[in-house]
Amino acid sequence: MEILFWSCLAFGVLMALATLFIGDLGGAFDFLPHDLFEPVVLAGGITIFGGAGLLLARYSAFQPGGIYACAAAAAALGGLAMHFVYVRPMKNSENSVAYSIRDLEGKRAEVITSIPAAGFGEVLVRVGAGNANHIAESFEKEALAEGTKVVVVRVKDDVLGVSRLD
């Protein structure tokens, strides 16, 4: 039992160090769903399982089954905590200027060049960490003045179809 816990502790530490210095180990974990099974979370869980198992075996009166169950519970809770406290906030903080024009559907925008009822104008859309301006037309075929708040309803031929935001 102690050999398993020492092995998990050592493997988890080595995996964490390898992930730190090499990255995601060349895509070795791409088969896992990356929402919850990030390599750093997996390494943390294995490390916590080994460490908790060693501590429980040495300092508790639990039987082996109880030790395994408690160590697994500690690993699951530690992995979840690591995911929600470290991994998810780090992913949310990543900014990129790359986007697809199809991603703009449903986004709010502001008219910066008036849009006539049967013509084109220009809107400013907040995308990622910056703003982008795009050619737009009125989806409902109504004139939209400069400064009007709109929402992108559709994207067709790289032209945004916008509607007044009420």
Side-chain angles (χ1 to χ4, degrees), residues 56-138:
L56 288 168
R58 184 160 298 174
Y59 298 112
S60 76
F62 291 136
Q63 297 299 318
I67 293 172
Y68 288 124
C70 289
L77 289 174
L80 283 171
M82 189 177 297
H83 173 75
F84 287 109
V85 172
Y86 176 71
V87 173
R88 183 180 262 181
M90 291 301 284
K91 280 188 173 185
N92 290 339
S93 71
E94 293 177 359
N95 289 323
S96 173
V97 294
Y99 67 93
S100 168
I101 195 166
R102 298 276 174 224
D103 294 338
L104 298 179
E105 288 183 4
K107 295 262 188 200
R108 294 179 181 192
E110 181 179 344
V111 177
I112 57 174
T113 303
S114 298
I115 302 172
F120 301 97
E122 193 172 9
V123 294
L124 185 68
V125 185
R126 181 143 180 88
V127 181
N131 296 320
N133 52 334
H134 288 277
I135 298 172
E137 65 181 345
S138 174

